[in-house]
Amino acid sequence: MIDEDTGIILNALYQVVKEHSNHSDKTKKTIKYLIKFLVKIGVLFKNNAFNDSEMLIFTKLKNKYKTMVLTVISFYEVKYTYDQKILSKYVVSVFDLLRQLLRRHMSPKNIERVELVQTTLSDGDLLDSIFDYENVTPITQHLPIICDRVRSLIDDDKL
């Protein structure tokens, strides 16, 4: 379900969140939940478990996610174009669609976990630290890895 590129992206994302928060347990939970959601979507999609309205949400989610990651790549490639509000809105809207998609298939507790991941990944301070164009930090060093692997997924039509 999770290919090599996705694994590398998740590992880099783990490192970013860990460096930013200094809370290893929270970081592990965040990435664990994110992986759980990705696998759940993959299994449900593969088994045709989504109804027609959920398939519409799935399509919206996929398109919104792709737009979000292309925006991240653009912010990375074109220096000083980063806009926290735009990126944060994309993250929130992706996770809103994720909640809608998984509502029927997961427990309320797991849906609450979507909120935890969303809150972590849409945090303005985290996003600002990732796109710190002025300083090379352990956090900013992961952005090229994430962008290169996402670009690879797009080029291979896996996203």
Side-chain angles (χ1 to χ4, degrees), residues 132-146:
D132 182 351
Y133 297 118
E134 300 297 323
N135 301 298
V136 176
T137 67
I139 293 175
T140 60
Q141 292 177 344
H142 294 287
L143 185 58
I145 297 165
I146 292 169

Side-chain angles (χ1 to χ4, degrees), residues 35-50:
I35 291 168
K36 185 176 185 173
F37 305 144
L38 293 173
V39 170
K40 185 74 169 180
I41 290 170
V43 169
L44 291 169
F45 183 78
K46 185 176 180 179
N47 292 322
N48 297 313
F50 293 132

Side-chain angles (χ1 to χ4, degrees), residues 2 49 62 81 102 114 116 123 139:
I2 295 181
K62 188 175 175 182
T81 58
L102 295 177
V114 173
L116 170 76
D123 176 67
I139 293 175

